[in-house]
Amino acid sequence: MSNAPDSLPNDAGAWRDRDLAVVWHPCTQMKEHPGTLPLVPIRRGRGAWLEGVDGRRYLDAVSSWWTNLFGHAEPRIAAAIAAQAHELEHVIYAGFSHGPGLALAEALVAKAPRQAGREPLSRVFYADNGSAAIEVALKMSFHSHANRGDTRRTRFISLTNGYHGETLGALSMGDIPLYRRVYAPLLLEPLFAPSPDAYEAEPGETAEACALRRADQLAALLEAHAGTVCALVLEPLVQCAGGMRMFHPAYLRRARELCDAHGVHLVADEIAVGFGRTGTLFACEQAGIAPDFLCLSKGLTGGFLPMSAVLTTAHVYEAFLDDSRDRAFLHSHSYTGNPLGCAAALASLAIFDSDEVLVRNRGTAARMAELAAPLAAHPHVAEVRQTGMILAFEMAADAATKRPFPATDRRGLRAYRHAIERGVVLRPLGDILYWMPPYCVGEEELTHLAAVTASAIEEATAP
């Protein structure tokens, strides 16, 4: 049997059989394949659509795990990668440099969020994926404090309901039991500050008031552990894997002030929310703040290639400059600064400049809000919430009291299966459905998405 791509079967069943004989898929209970969660073999993607090997089309409402910005097979990004592949596919980045890596670093520094009176983000460290970016930021923060003689700082603070990746350091910063529980004996033990999640606001409390109340609790935590904390790690505005839970920018402003007051770094995990997802290029912009570390991945390359970047300040960078290699940052990845990934990222950033993407997104987000609004009255939709191009539906047994369905009901899985049968990818987060489509999504596609979501909710919440 040939294993060349052109020899793969067009029959979805035969494809599944071959795949499940050799492949272990991510974030999956493999026993569910091919039973309750059928594998969907994909042949190609175009725009907002995926095409199966059997010819069926699927609207990619989740941007293939939040990575795709401008649509599948976007020709300008594809062309940039192809051109770069003919020149330089890769070179060791320790002691060497290349054009795409330099140009991308300059572009990211120029576009990074800024805050009046603060030192700008001016240094870029490349890694392979989002989890690796978080690992880099954690190690840099700790090591920079230590290099300056502040060796008591060995703790981190992150938010309840947060998620930052699956490698051990990144997983340590997360608070979702599904991912953390099994590996708890292996993990760092951060301090967890209560999430400013507006869904958890008290009756009559505004999102801003909830955020400020939670910020007061962060202040108390920092005070109780004064002098021992390296950094606060958070996802600005939207806790994505935690259920697309959203919070007011006031929390970011207060967190920035508190970190400054306590000599603590602020790490902004914009891996999922960066590059226009929240309505601005970076979510931090909506609070008018700049972090000490900005972690980027997913949309960095427009969804084409795995790559990440960590932006930080000259102050952090200069803490590592010394004649001793012990004080250098010796973290490395084989594919650090890969030229193909850099070329894809440069092409993606160029599209933001040429196509007025953020302006278009505002119109798309407004249309998403209009189409989703009727579902807010559904007796099993406790909340419809939105930040920019991210919109979520919280299904509940009782919308009025926010009483959830029993987890064993797996209502989200019901909705997913219903939607996939109708040509829409609505991968749930528990009992939360969400839209995070590629920016090229059009009116006809949004209308189809809304109709299928409505019927999926009906199916999922039926007795």
Side-chain angles (χ1 to χ4, degrees):
M1 182 192 309
S2 171
N3 60 3
D6 58 3
S7 72
L8 293 171
N10 288 325
D11 176 77
W15 185 301
R16 291 187 189 102
D17 290 343
R18 284 179 59 178
D19 182 288
L20 295 175
V22 292
V23 179
W24 193 340
H25 290 269
C27 202
T28 299
Q29 172 48 265
M30 290 300 293
K31 191 174 181 180
E32 294 178 338
H33 289 324
T36 59
L37 193 66
L39 193 68
V40 183
I42 296 298
R43 174 167 49 199
R44 64 171 61 92
R46 292 293 185 274
W49 294 88
L50 298 166
E51 182 183 319
V53 298
D54 56 3
R56 294 191 63 191
R57 298 172 76 229
Y58 304 90
L59 181 61
D60 188 358
V62 301
S63 292
S64 292
W65 251 340
W66 324 335
T67 62
N68 192 284
L69 297 186
F70 307 113
H72 295 282
E74 207 292 329
R76 289 166 288 185
I77 301 177
I81 295 171
Q84 182 59 45
H86 286 287
E87 297 296 325
L88 176 66
E89 79 299 337
H90 188 61
V91 64
I92 181 174
Y93 213 51
F96 289 81
S97 179
H98 52 71
L102 172 56
L104 178 58
E106 290 176 336
L108 290 173
V109 165
K111 292 180 179 295
R114 293 179 179 272
Q115 182 176 351
R118 290 198 64 81
E119 182 183 16
L121 296 168
S122 61
R123 294 284 174 172
V124 179
F125 192 97
Y126 295 121
D128 293 357
N129 55 62
S131 295
I134 296 297
E135 300 280 351
V136 166
L138 297 178
K139 291 173 68 177
M140 273 188 183
S141 175
F142 163 77
H143 199 167
S144 66
H145 283 301
N147 277 354
R148 293 187 183 278
D150 201 351
T151 56
R152 292 181 61 230
R153 295 187 184 271
T154 59
R155 304 294 302 274
F156 294 92
I157 297 177
S158 56
L159 302 184
T160 57
N161 196 52
Y163 174 89
H164 301 282
E166 298 293 343
T167 52
L168 291 180
L171 185 60
S172 296
M173 298 301 111
D175 182 50
I176 300 176
L178 177 65
Y179 305 113
R180 182 185 177 91
R181 185 187 304 113
V182 172
Y183 305 104
L186 307 179
L187 303 181
L188 301 173
E189 296 183 1
L191 304 163
F192 286 105
S195 170
D197 173 13
Y199 189 72
E200 296 183 351
E202 296 175 351
E205 186 179 39
T206 65
E208 183 175 11
C210 176
L212 293 174
R213 175 169 56 85
R214 293 302 198 190
D216 287 342
Q217 293 173 296
L218 172 63
L221 188 63
L222 283 164
E223 188 64 37
H225 297 273
T228 66
V229 176
C230 295
L232 167 65
V233 184
L234 53 73
E235 303 158 271
L237 300 187
V238 185
Q239 293 183 301
C240 292
M244 299 300 168
R245 294 292 181 84
M246 301 173 185
F247 60 89
H248 194 279
Y251 186 85
L252 295 177
R253 289 192 287 270
R254 184 75 177 119
R256 176 72 276 178
E257 294 169 358
L258 291 168
C259 286
D260 287 343
H262 287 273
V264 170
H265 293 139
L266 177 59
V267 178
D269 175 353
E270 294 223 20
I271 291 161
V273 300
F275 299 106
R277 288 292 183 194
T278 66
T280 47
L281 190 63
F282 299 111
C284 284
E285 296 174 38
Q286 296 184 41
I289 64 107
D292 300 288
F293 295 90
L294 179 67
C295 296
L296 304 172
S297 190
K298 291 191 182 289
L300 174 62
T301 64
F304 272 69
L305 290 169
M307 187 178 187
S308 64
V310 179
L311 278 64
T312 191
T313 63
H315 181 76
V316 171
Y317 172 78
E318 288 163 2
F320 294 87
L321 301 181
D322 193 85
D323 292 333
S324 170
R325 283 181 62 83
D326 290 343
R327 295 170 64 89
F329 190 64
L330 300 181
H331 186 103
S332 62
H333 296 268
S334 300
Y335 282 91
T336 294
N338 176 254
L340 300 177
C342 292
L346 284 166
S348 180
L349 290 177
I351 292 173
F352 277 100
D353 294 335
S354 64
D355 290 13
E356 294 189 325
V357 172
L358 297 179
V359 173
R360 174 188 166 91
N361 281 3
R362 283 195 287 272
T364 304
R367 183 60 179 143
M368 289 167 59
E370 291 173 355
L371 290 168
L375 282 169
H378 193 285
H380 293 296
V381 174
E383 185 177 61
V384 176
R385 52 183 174 267
Q386 182 177 12
T387 299
M389 291 287 291
I390 306 172
L391 192 149
F393 306 87
E394 182 107 19
M395 295 190 295
D398 186 331
T401 63
K402 299 183 179 178
R403 177 170 58 87
F405 287 107
T408 52
D409 283 3
R410 303 199 68 183
R411 303 288 178 141
L413 177 60
R414 288 196 210 175
Y416 170 79
R417 295 192 63 177
H418 178 90
I420 205 77
E421 289 168 1
R422 286 152 183 80
V424 173
V425 182
L426 277 179
R427 185 180 174 91
L429 295 162
D431 288 341
I432 297 157
L433 304 180
Y434 66 91
W435 300 345
M436 196 190 288
Y439 301 159
C440 62
V441 68
E443 172 63 25
E444 184 176 344
E445 292 154 337
L446 287 174
T447 303
H448 177 56
L449 173 58
V452 171
T453 302
S455 62
I457 291 173
E458 285 292 335
E459 171 68 19
T461 59

